[in-house]
């Protein structure tokens, strides 16, 4: 008995084979000279009308159908040598692809709706938080200003006591000093906020129709002027002004510390540039010596 005959008899005798192949049904319909009816593929419009549970069941029905067709193809190839037409398999694949498309559409809609809910929740919470912050700032502004206990405040207290005064004038003076400092800091932040402003080089005229408060006048750097004119000496004030924007507000001690750091960095950069130039000079001398040795003697 050959392989083909064994496969035919196995298909006729097996009762469970109908769940995995339609070969016995196809042979029976062929013997009765009937045709197996075949429907069309599912459309995406039809699948969109179904619930998620129905799509879940339909997916496994199509998967079973796909495996059944593939099993039949294997048997047909062994028995008949070819698998024949595959129009039914293409319809099943198109139906499964459209089903996945509908599922993906629903997932995107769910994600967009979830993102909208999260954004609305965050907006509500942000508005409540901003409201609480504004109320807290208003409450703090209405409260009397109490400075922190520092060494300077204690020193001012003892100074007032030595003069025979026992009042809170030293606290008022400290509060005024802090308020002036905050006002100066705010003014500097507004004045040196260069975002959205027009920069002018030295000697340039401001453009017409521009608010003067939106114009930043540039200044010439002392180091660039030194390089341009070839002047070898430069004052420490020019070095500090070229590197620090608000150098006038620094104390003498802070200026000395910053100058030390700046000069150390300038010395390090100058040393690295000198070593690079020295290396290039050595390479040039070596190259000239090699050329002079290789040149023929006259």
């Amino acid at each position: 008995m050959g392989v083909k005959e064994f496969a035919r008899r196995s298909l006729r005798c097996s009762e469970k084979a109908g769940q995995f192949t339609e070969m016995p049904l196809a042979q029976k319909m062929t013997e009765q000279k009937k045709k197996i009816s075949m429907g069309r593929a599912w459309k995406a419009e039809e699948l969109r009308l179904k619930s998620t549970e129905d799509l879940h069941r339909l997916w496994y029905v199509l998967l079973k159908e796909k495996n059944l067709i593939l099993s039949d193809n294997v048997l047909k190839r062994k028995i008949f040598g070819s698998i024949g037409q595959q129009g039914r398999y293409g319809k099943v694949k198109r139906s499964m692809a459209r089903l996945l498309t509908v599922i993906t559409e629903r997932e995107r809609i769910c994600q967009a709706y979830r993102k909208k809910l999260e954004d609305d929740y965050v907006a509500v919470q942000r508005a409540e938080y901003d409201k609480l912050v504004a109320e807290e700032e208003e409450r703090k502004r209405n409260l009397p200003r109490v400075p922190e206990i520092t060494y300077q405040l204690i020193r001012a207290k003892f100074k007032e006591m030595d003069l025979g005064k026992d009042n809170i004038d030293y606290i008022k003076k400290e509060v005024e000093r802090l308020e002036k400092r905050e006002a100066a800091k705010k003014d500097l932040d507004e004045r040196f906020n260069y975002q959205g402003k027009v920069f002018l080089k030295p000697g340039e005229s401001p453009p017409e129709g521009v608010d003067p408060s939106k114009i930043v006048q540039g200044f010439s750097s002392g180091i660039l002027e030194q390089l341009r004119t070839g002047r070898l000496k430069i004052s420490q004030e020019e070095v500090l002004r070229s590197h620090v924007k608000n150098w006038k507000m620094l104390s003498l001690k802070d200026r000395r510390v910053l100058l030390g750091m700046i000069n150390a960095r300038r010395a390090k950069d100058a040393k690295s540039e000198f070593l690079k130039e020295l290396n290039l000079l050595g390479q040039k001398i070596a190259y000239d010596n090699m050329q002079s040795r290789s040149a023929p003697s006259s």
Side-chain angles (χ1 to χ4, degrees), residues 172-226:
K172 294 180 180 179
K173 293 180 181 179
E174 182 67 17
V175 170
E176 291 177 359
R177 187 184 69 83
L178 293 176
E179 290 178 352
K180 289 181 180 180
R181 184 176 180 182
E182 291 177 357
K185 183 179 179 182
K186 184 178 180 181
D187 180 65
L188 286 174
D189 292 339
E190 293 177 356
R191 199 190 312 174
F192 291 102
N193 185 13
Y194 296 154
Q195 187 175 4
K197 294 185 178 180
V198 180
F199 286 88
L200 294 180
K201 295 181 180 179
E204 289 185 352
S205 59
E208 298 180 357
V210 181
D211 188 5
S213 61
K214 299 294 183 180
I215 297 176
V216 178
Q217 184 67 44
F219 60 92
S220 59
S221 174
I223 296 178
L224 295 178
E225 187 69 19
Q226 178 190 11

Side-chain angles (χ1 to χ4, degrees), residues 29 36 42 65 67 85 97 127 136 140 198 261 276 287 295:
M29 298 294 287
I36 301 176
W42 285 88
E65 187 77 11
N67 293 334
Q85 297 180 357
E136 183 67 19
K140 288 182 178 179
V198 180
M261 296 172 60
K276 289 179 183 179
Y287 178 77

Side-chain angles (χ1 to χ4, degrees), residues 272-285:
S272 62
E273 293 297 329
F274 174 73
L275 291 177
K276 289 179 183 179
E277 294 180 1
L278 191 63
N279 187 17
L280 291 175
L281 180 62
Q283 292 179 8
K284 184 177 182 305
I285 294 174

Side-chain angles (χ1 to χ4, degrees), residues 32-50:
Q32 295 178 2
K33 297 181 180 181
K34 296 180 180 180
K35 293 184 179 181
I36 301 176
S37 60
M38 187 183 306
R40 59 173 174 81
W42 285 88
K43 295 182 180 180
E45 294 81 4
E46 299 171 346
L47 296 173
R48 291 190 182 99
L49 299 176
K50 293 185 174 295

Side-chain angles (χ1 to χ4, degrees), residues 137-186:
E137 291 180 354
E138 184 67 22
R139 187 184 66 83
K140 288 182 178 179
R141 280 195 296 268
N142 296 330
L143 290 175
R145 182 73 177 271
V146 179
E148 296 182 0
I149 299 176
T150 58
Y151 175 74
Q152 294 179 354
L153 191 64
I154 297 174
R155 187 176 178 182
K157 172 65 176 176
F158 280 106
K159 186 176 180 180
E160 294 287 334
M161 292 178 66
D162 289 340
L163 297 175
K165 299 179 182 180
D166 190 7
N167 49 31
I168 58 173
D169 291 341
Y170 67 97
I171 297 180
K172 294 180 180 179
K173 293 180 181 179
E174 182 67 17
V175 170
E176 291 177 359
R177 187 184 69 83
L178 293 176
E179 290 178 352
K180 289 181 180 180
R181 184 176 180 182
E182 291 177 357
K185 183 179 179 182
K186 184 178 180 181

